[in-house]
Amino acid sequence: MTEINGHAGDFDSLPYVDRQLELEGMKEKVDLLIEQEMRRISRKDRVQLPKDITLFKDDPVLSSEWARTSKQKPMATLDISRYDVAPPAGKDKQSVEAWQAAVDNSKAQLESQTLRLFNLELLQKYGSNAWKVHNFQLEGQLKQLKYNVEEKKKEISELNKQRKFEQTEGGTTLRNLESKWSDLVSQTLQVEVACAALENELEELKRYENSLNN
């Protein structure tokens, strides 16, 4: 298993060179070994993600809404009392200030409704074109994303081709080295056998010499 920056990485693999997996039952053995190895790796080594993530810390409105939804609390109902146009009631009926406040509120509500109608007219007149422009921009972004995806696929394909080429070349080198290693081991064994035979022959000669001297 390789390590990157001190952390556990992916397992080494030479799929274009190693053919042992094609043997019957070998894949199951390899999968079992990998599973056992992964069990020995702590989750801390495999996943380097922060445990606590603070969202919307710079936006108090979104932060409060996030806290509310996290606790599954219902959203507060919209306060529409500010849109009421009601005359003074009770003792306020005789108050000039109360009637003046009611008139001011009526004017404000009338101005608000006028502004809403104006915005609706603008939306009706220019909204469709703005929406078309927005859709056109989204289509442009979609085309760019598709292009980026295709480029990444090409990069992956080229990387796989390069990996296959390098592994194939490396596999040839490995097989040549393995063949040389086998030849050297065989030669070493032959030399050891010859040395053992010479040692035995030398011992026989020494015993024969001793017998002649005696």
Side-chain angles (χ1 to χ4, degrees), residues 142-153:
L142 178 60
K143 290 180 180 179
Q144 183 63 40
L145 290 175
K146 288 183 177 180
Y147 173 79
N148 293 340
V149 170
E150 292 300 324
E151 289 298 314
K152 287 298 179 182
K153 288 182 178 179

Side-chain angles (χ1 to χ4, degrees), residues 166-183:
E166 292 178 355
Q167 289 190 17
T168 303
E169 292 292 320
T172 302
T173 303
L174 287 174
R175 284 188 289 271
N176 292 335
L177 292 174
E178 184 178 4
S179 177
K180 291 181 180 179
W181 175 80
S182 298
D183 292 340

Side-chain angles (χ1 to χ4, degrees), residues 17 21 33 52 54-55 65 82 96 120 124 143 160 176 201:
V17 177
L21 287 178
L33 290 175
D52 298 327
T54 304
L55 297 177
E65 280 299 300
R82 54 177 295 191
V96 176
L120 289 174
Q124 185 176 8
K143 290 180 180 179
N160 288 332
N176 292 335
E201 185 178 354

